[in-house]
Amino acid sequence: MTLQAALPEDPSHPRPASSWRRYAYQVRVNSADPTLLLALLLLAVFGYLILAPVLLLLVDAVTVHFPDIARSGQDLGALTLYYLNRVLMSPISRDLFWWPLAHTAVISVAAIMIAFLVGGPLGWLLSRTDLVGKKWFSTALLLPYMLPSWTFALAWLTLFKNRTTGGVPGWMETLGFTPPDWLAYGAFPIALILALHYAPFVILLFGNALKQFDTQLEDSARSLGARPRDVARRIILPLMMPSLASAATLIFAKCLGDFGVAYVLGVPVGFDVLATSLFRAISTSQAGASAVIAGVIVLLGTLSVIIDMRLMKEAKRFVTIGAKGAMVREAPLGKWQMPAVLWVLTVFLVSAAIPLVALTLTTVMRVPGSFELSNFTLDYWIGTDLGTTALHQGILLTGEFWLALWNTVWMVGLASLGAGLLGLLVGYGVVRSPIRMVSVALRQITFLPYLVPGIAFAAAYLSMFAVARPPLPALYGTHAILVLAILADQMPFASRAGISSMMQLGREPEEAGQIVGAGWFRRMRSIVLPIQRGALVSAILLPFISGIKGLSLVVVLAVPGTDLLTTYAIRLVDYGYSQAANAVVVMLCVVAFAGTMLVQKIGKASLSDGMGSK
């Protein structure tokens, strides 16, 4: 008998065993700690709130629904290709799917190209030159992304609306110029607005990549006789390609699910994209067809994010900052200083300042664009007798506005608070779980809503909770479905904040508390939560800002009694009350902008960190 076999086994240092024995040992050792139970409980909760709706949506695309029993010739719930044929190959498929798909592709490609043309030079000016006032510009140029994209669609309509759709005239028409249809509606304004809204992606990703680029590489190439054009083509551009490609895929994913801009500028003239076609299918109770369209949107969104992840992984091949650091030198603009400042200022005015000013001025004008003193009024804010059917008073005196504001604050606030707390617990469960399979599953499920554009995720929730799904009753038309949908939709951001913060927290503080006899709940309350307070604040406030300005998710799920500011404004647009709708949007912009500034102040960070420094 060997000495090792004769010695008794130390429970704290077991001998190597089979995989099953090691698994059983881990369970036994961690049985006194509820971390595994917490992770499993969270896995079950988010499996129900996130995974189940998406899977059910996909099932709805291939099973017969009650209204289609006769047309499909099959029994209720039977597997069918009827909806796939209807959406992809029927006589109406061109209007229902193929034209919207083509419009989505054209708009996305155009938006990416315009965003690159605008954002690329701006990223270079802010990160690699001595541009005057670039610290201020670094924040100001990100303003379009801080506000809802469809805000600028309403501003565009305010400026360029013509008589094609009736209602109050636009500014240009009032001033004597009638904009053509291609300028007022359709592909051009939609693509331009989306490009300016998402150009900050290019500014941030491309600008920060340039900020980290070692200028010694350029100096070495020039010392070998390379011309500036060759340096840009053979050195700078290849190294910047991952950041540019990542910006392109992110813009595509965002354009894919953007509903508001196309709804305001496309639907009035019959210009549909996938998001508005899906909304139309849901509004007309075409459950199976809407499931197919939503499934396509989910597939395209998933592919774009997977491509982005792959590109970010590939970017590690292009590391240019070593252990000795990198030299970044600002290029002097010299005589080009003033033209550069004028260019940046022009982009800011066109993308943010002019639309917001025009939108605000319209709320105090009876006829938009007429600057006669008698034309100015506060009726749309505090008027008492507007003489309209569905809006008798100014919005500040209208109960529906205050109800929508209250709903926005408490529903989005509750969802954000829940997302923040659950995100921190998810981070704890992912980092501390003794079983890697549970940790990976929890991480992936909470990230799933990021792969699903908002309008498609709303369709999934409608499919899931339009009827009773134990343990919950039917939720459609209630506040609960909006709170749950917003919470689930914001979990990718909240969970990533929780995971990243917990990965920086070692076990030593908890072990110290365990030594003195503190239980798990006491350790969480007295040690983990105080240490992670900053991460918890960010995990709550960031979903709050995103939830306030979001439209694609809630427009499908809200009803008049559960309106938020976003859906209330869209209803006013549908009624043709442009000035009142713009007033609601101005209030929404104030709330969203103030919230963004609060996030940056509390987090002691800025979206523009790493860009301008002067």
Side-chain angles (χ1 to χ4, degrees):
M1 179 181 298
T2 64
L3 178 61
Q4 182 180 7
L7 290 175
E9 181 173 316
D10 184 356
S12 62
H13 297 84
R15 290 177 298 175
S18 65
S19 298
W20 172 251
R21 291 183 60 189
R22 286 198 299 271
Y23 175 82
Y25 173 74
Q26 289 179 342
V27 173
R28 186 171 64 255
V29 168
N30 292 277
S31 60
D33 192 326
T35 302
L36 178 59
L37 180 61
L38 172 67
L40 291 173
L41 179 61
L42 290 172
L43 195 60
V45 169
F46 290 116
Y48 181 79
L49 293 180
I50 295 176
L51 183 60
V54 176
L55 293 179
L56 185 60
L57 176 71
L58 300 179
V59 170
D60 281 348
V62 292
T63 54
V64 177
H65 299 268
F66 179 77
D68 302 307
I69 293 176
R71 283 181 289 183
S72 66
Q74 295 177 275
D75 296 330
L76 179 66
L79 290 176
T80 184
L81 296 177
Y82 171 75
Y83 301 115
L84 289 171
N85 289 328
R86 178 176 175 81
V87 172
L88 302 179
M89 291 178 285
S90 73
I92 67 169
S93 63
R94 184 176 63 177
D95 296 327
L96 183 62
F97 178 75
W98 292 112
W99 275 120
L101 177 63
H103 293 162
T104 301
V106 169
I107 287 171
S108 299
V109 172
I112 291 170
M113 294 175 63
I114 297 172
F116 274 39
L117 291 174
V118 173
L122 291 176
W124 177 74
L125 287 171
L126 294 175
S127 61
R128 293 293 297 273
T129 71
D130 61 347
L131 179 72
V132 173
K134 66 180 180 179
K135 183 177 182 181
W136 184 86
F137 282 127
S138 294
T139 299
L141 290 171
L142 303 184
L143 180 61
Y145 187 67
M146 298 179 188
L147 304 175
S149 60
W150 53 277
T151 297
F152 302 101
L154 291 176
W156 185 277
L157 203 62
T158 296
L159 294 171
F160 297 104
K161 182 180 180 181
N162 61 28
R163 305 304 296 174
T164 298
T165 57
V168 296
W171 280 30
M172 295 296 102
E173 196 168 46
T174 301
L175 296 174
F177 170 71
T178 301
D181 286 349
W182 66 266
L183 180 62
Y185 312 98
F188 175 75
I190 294 174
L192 180 61
I193 289 171
L194 290 176
L196 295 178
H197 182 69
Y198 295 120
F201 283 171
V202 182
I203 297 174
L204 288 173
L205 293 174
F206 180 60
N208 285 330
L210 282 174
K211 193 74 174 179
Q212 299 177 16
F213 180 75
D214 194 342
T215 53
Q216 294 179 91
L217 298 175
E218 301 176 58
D219 296 338
S220 299
R222 291 194 183 98
S223 67
L224 296 174
R227 293 174 298 180
R229 182 177 61 185
D230 294 328
V231 173
R233 180 173 59 87
R234 304 184 64 177
I235 296 178
I236 298 177
L237 185 59
L239 293 175
M240 296 299 104
M241 191 58 68
S243 63
L244 293 174
S246 181
T249 55
L250 288 175
I251 293 173
F252 173 76
K254 292 295 184 180
C255 291
L256 186 66
D258 194 290
F259 168 81
V261 177
Y263 184 79
V264 172
L265 296 176
V267 170
V269 292
F271 186 90
D272 272 320
V273 296
L274 285 177
T276 56
S277 181
L278 172 59
F279 179 74
R280 192 189 305 276
I282 293 173
S283 301
T284 54
S285 301
Q286 301 181 61
S290 63
V292 174
I293 299 173
V296 172
I297 295 176
V298 170
L299 176 61
L300 294 175
T302 301
L303 288 175
S304 65
V305 175
I306 290 175
I307 291 172
D308 178 60
M309 292 178 176
R310 182 64 180 266
L311 291 171
M312 294 303 292
K313 184 181 294 185
E314 289 293 320
K316 295 179 180 180
R317 298 171 49 202
F318 298 94
V319 174
T320 61
I321 300 179
K324 295 182 180 180
M327 183 178 70
V328 179
R329 182 176 58 252
E330 291 184 346
L333 290 174
K335 65 179 181 179
W336 296 102
Q337 181 72 248
M338 186 55 63
V341 171
L342 291 176
W343 160 247
V344 178
L345 184 62
T346 299
V347 172
F348 169 70
L349 291 175
V350 171
S351 64
I354 292 176
L356 288 176
V357 170
L359 202 67
T360 304
L361 284 176
T362 304
T363 66
V364 293
M365 291 179 171
R366 291 187 176 89
V367 178
S370 176
F371 290 90
E372 296 178 2
L373 188 60
S374 60
N375 186 50
F376 285 88
T377 179
L378 292 177
D379 283 352
Y380 301 108
W381 290 95
I382 56 175
T384 56
D385 187 11
L386 300 185
T388 52
T389 303
L391 189 71
H392 303 290
Q393 299 173 310
I395 65 163
L396 297 182
L397 302 180
T398 302
E400 288 84 354
F401 166 76
W402 292 107
L403 178 61
L405 177 61
W406 169 240
N407 284 342
T408 300
V409 172
W410 84 260
M411 284 196 287
V412 177
L414 181 61
S416 302
L417 179 62
L421 292 173
L422 289 173
L424 188 62
L425 292 177
V426 166
Y428 189 91
V430 168
V431 175
R432 297 284 195 265
S433 174
I435 301 178
R436 186 175 182 275
M437 182 175 62
V438 175
S439 174
V440 171
L442 185 58
R443 179 195 294 262
Q444 298 302 328
I445 288 179
T446 53
F447 184 72
L448 181 60
Y450 190 78
L451 307 179
V452 184
I455 190 76
F457 196 66
Y461 253 65
L462 188 63
S463 176
M464 177 76 175
F465 295 112
V467 297
R469 304 284 184 184
L472 296 180
L475 298 179
Y476 181 65
T478 68
H479 298 90
I481 192 172
L482 288 164
V483 173
L484 290 177
I486 295 171
L487 185 153
D489 188 57
Q490 298 301 322
M491 278 311 299
F493 307 103
S495 64
R496 286 314 179 266
I499 292 171
S500 61
S501 63
M502 286 304 305
M503 290 181 68
Q504 299 175 19
L505 178 63
R507 294 179 178 270
E508 291 80 6
E510 290 185 79
E511 290 174 350
Q514 195 171 9
I515 290 174
V516 298
W520 183 83
F521 289 100
R522 178 65 182 276
R523 298 198 303 272
M524 286 293 295
R525 185 178 74 251
S526 302
I527 299 176
V528 176
L529 287 179
I531 293 177
Q532 301 292 5
R533 181 174 55 188
L536 179 61
V537 170
S538 296
I540 292 174
L541 288 179
L542 288 175
F544 181 74
I545 302 308
S546 180
I548 279 180
K549 68 178 186 177
L551 174 64
S552 299
L553 178 71
V554 298
V555 71
V556 173
L557 302 175
V559 298
T562 61
D563 266 331
L564 282 72
L565 284 178
T566 50
T567 57
Y568 181 60
I570 287 296
R571 294 190 197 282
L572 291 176
V573 171
D574 290 339
Y575 293 144
Y577 303 150
S578 301
Q579 289 99 324
N582 292 347
V584 174
V585 170
V586 168
M587 295 296 293
L588 177 63
C589 289
V590 170
V591 175
F593 182 75
T596 303
M597 294 295 100
L598 180 63
V599 169
Q600 295 185 156
K601 184 174 182 179
I602 293 178
K604 296 181 179 179
S606 171
L607 290 173
S608 59
D609 282 350
M611 297 292 295
S613 58
K614 291 184 179 179

